[in-house]
Amino acid sequence: MLFHSTRRALSAALAAVLTAGLLGLASQASAAAPRTEAAAAAGHDPVIMIPGMTGQPSGMDAMKSNLQANGWPAGRLFTWTDSSRMTQDLARAAQELSVKVDQVRSQTGASKVVLATWSASTLAARYYIKNLGGADKVSQYIGFAGPQHGTTNNGCQWYVSCQQFASPHTPFLRALNSPTEVPFNDKVAYLTIRSTADYNAVPTDTAILAGADENHLMSGPMAPSHFTIISNSTALAKMRSFITAHETA
């Protein structure tokens, strides 16, 4: 009887050891597994979404809603534009952006933000990163349909900002793109998204940044226009996957 009791006790102890070991392995596997997009989103840096020339912050609401629907907390999503709505000196817009970034960092407690920019604001954001200390406060730069090398659709030159990107050779763009188009890319991850159906930032490849982590081209019959690229589900999925892949949290 004692023999059987001892055997039962040993069997129970062995089962407990095996169970603990299996639970430990499962825990390790779970920790090693990639996080889902929604789980990762909770740790993302705040995102500041900025429209282009003459745009209102509400123009970025579709992007904001898309991020929130995919797990980004509402309290870490911001839409904004400068006091001129990107129609005046983009260097001045970058100075106002600097103030906004600091306000968002203070409000959220985050050390860095993600800048999701569109059209003219892609240039103001790069100016901020390059010249105003933004590299220490921005983790990721995302540029939708940016006239990074000017545009031939430049009949808007009654706006100062349009004059600044009316050709690849404006003083503003020459200074911004030299000696690198991706300033402080050791600190900031860069994504550009462009479309063959964009007839505002033309030619299509004007939106490319040499040295960016990724320059994403959208083409084919479903390619979005200059105005729909910031609400296009495929473009927004690319943005989300880029943020998730490059997160620092």
Side-chain angles (χ1 to χ4, degrees):
M1 187 69 174
L2 180 60
F3 172 78
H4 290 299
S5 298
T6 302
R7 187 172 61 182
R8 282 197 300 271
L10 289 172
S11 297
L14 180 60
V17 170
L18 289 173
T19 299
L22 289 171
L23 287 173
L25 288 173
S27 176
Q28 292 176 18
S30 175
R35 290 184 289 174
T36 64
E37 183 177 278
H44 282 317
D45 293 332
V47 183
I48 302 176
M49 293 155 273
I50 313 172
M53 192 173 63
T54 76
Q56 298 281 4
S58 60
M60 308 302 282
D61 282 351
M63 181 184 292
K64 182 178 181 180
S65 296
N66 182 275
L67 288 171
Q68 190 171 350
N70 283 278
W72 270 251
R76 296 178 81 80
L77 299 174
F78 301 85
T79 59
W80 173 87
T81 191
D82 74 304
S83 59
S84 79
R85 294 192 296 159
M86 297 292 157
T87 62
Q88 300 304 308
D89 183 7
L90 292 172
R92 176 62 182 271
Q95 293 171 358
E96 294 185 28
L97 174 58
S98 177
V99 174
K100 179 63 179 179
V101 168
D102 285 346
Q103 181 228 315
V104 168
R105 291 170 62 239
S106 176
Q107 179 177 334
T108 61
S111 61
K112 293 191 174 186
V113 303
V114 174
L115 297 180
T117 62
W118 174 41
S119 196
S121 70
T122 64
L123 305 177
R126 263 203 308 142
Y127 187 100
Y128 164 64
I129 292 169
K130 178 178 181 179
N131 299 310
L132 301 177
D136 293 323
K137 301 174 183 180
V138 175
S139 58
Q140 298 176 46
Y141 165 100
I142 301 169
F144 288 82
Q148 311 282 8
H149 303 277
T151 179
T152 57
N153 188 351
N154 55 19
C156 54
Q157 293 185 57
W158 55 86
Y159 295 126
V160 172
S161 59
C162 187
Q163 296 170 21
Q164 291 177 311
F165 58 80
S167 83
H169 309 296
T170 66
F172 181 85
L173 286 182
R174 284 203 306 268
L176 184 62
N177 291 333
S178 177
T180 177
E181 298 176 10
V182 285
F184 299 101
N185 64 339
D186 58 327
K187 300 179 180 180
V188 182
Y190 287 83
L191 166 68
T192 71
I193 302 177
R194 68 195 193 281
S195 171
T196 56
D198 184 346
Y199 301 112
N200 289 73
V202 285
T204 300
D205 287 351
T206 189
I208 289 177
L209 290 176
D213 295 85
E214 186 173 358
N215 290 297
H216 182 69
L217 175 65
M218 304 183 70
S219 60
M222 302 303 291
S225 72
H226 186 77
F227 300 100
T228 61
I229 195 169
I230 54 169
S231 59
N232 178 272
S233 60
T234 302
L236 295 177
K238 168 55 67 175
M239 178 182 72
R240 296 195 314 271
S241 66
F242 184 86
I243 293 175
T244 302
H246 293 83
E247 66 184 351
T248 57

